[in-house]
Amino acid sequence: MCIRDSPKYLEYLQKAETFKKEGNEFFKAKNYPKARSKYARVFSYTRSLNMNTSSDSISKMALDSKGKIPSSLSQKAKILERDSNSNLCMVYIQEKNWSRAILKATLSLEIEETAKAYFRRGKSYAMKNDFENAYKDFKTGIEKFNGEKALFEGEIEKTKKRERKYDRAEAQRFSKAMQE
């Protein structure tokens, strides 16, 4: 039976979309642990749809008669993964877990480069005091998404202020250590 003859693959995409929507609702309600849980569940439905070969039953059901997952199905699953990674990044930003936020933004960017992912990863780098990578992401964002230039430039200014404050604090800390 060809996948085009079966509505089952749509069921998996719909479940993934439902988890993403539920995650969005929990995020809006500032219930970050539940949002994180819902976004993470998206991947249990999309990962197998992004594979060309797999031994699990979901993937076997999704395969077409040539043993390949139809590109339209795979593309929808990838978009859900991209957006869920980006949304997880925002959850981690709210929780001030900069390393996890950077990881999720990076995973989102690996699927497709978006202004949101560059912005969020850059912001996370800045909050982690990794200014070099923050500026790199903001500048890449400006180059690739010129329509968002003002947003990125505003964040560059905030990051410059944060860097100056960080440098002053580090200089003061170093000075105290040298006096002891």
Side-chain angles (χ1 to χ4, degrees), residues 12 20 32 61 67 72 86 92 129 133-134 137 143-144 149 154 167 173 175 179-180:
Y12 293 112
K20 181 180 167 252
Y32 304 122
M61 201 162 24
S72 62
S86 184
Y92 288 122
N129 299 321
N133 280 316
D137 275 353
E143 290 168 11
K144 292 183 181 262
K149 186 176 181 179
D167 288 346
R173 193 168 62 91
S175 177
Q179 292 174 358
E180 293 175 358

Side-chain angles (χ1 to χ4, degrees), residues 25-56:
E25 292 303 314
F26 282 117
F27 184 85
K28 288 176 191 171
K30 299 183 185 210
N31 187 337
Y32 304 122
K34 287 215 179 208
R36 188 175 352 101
S37 174
K38 294 295 182 178
Y39 292 137
R41 299 228 16 222
V42 168
F43 302 108
S44 62
Y45 290 95
T46 59
R47 287 235 166 92
S48 58
L49 300 175
N50 281 326
M51 298 178 189
N52 283 332
T53 60
S54 178
S55 60
D56 69 40

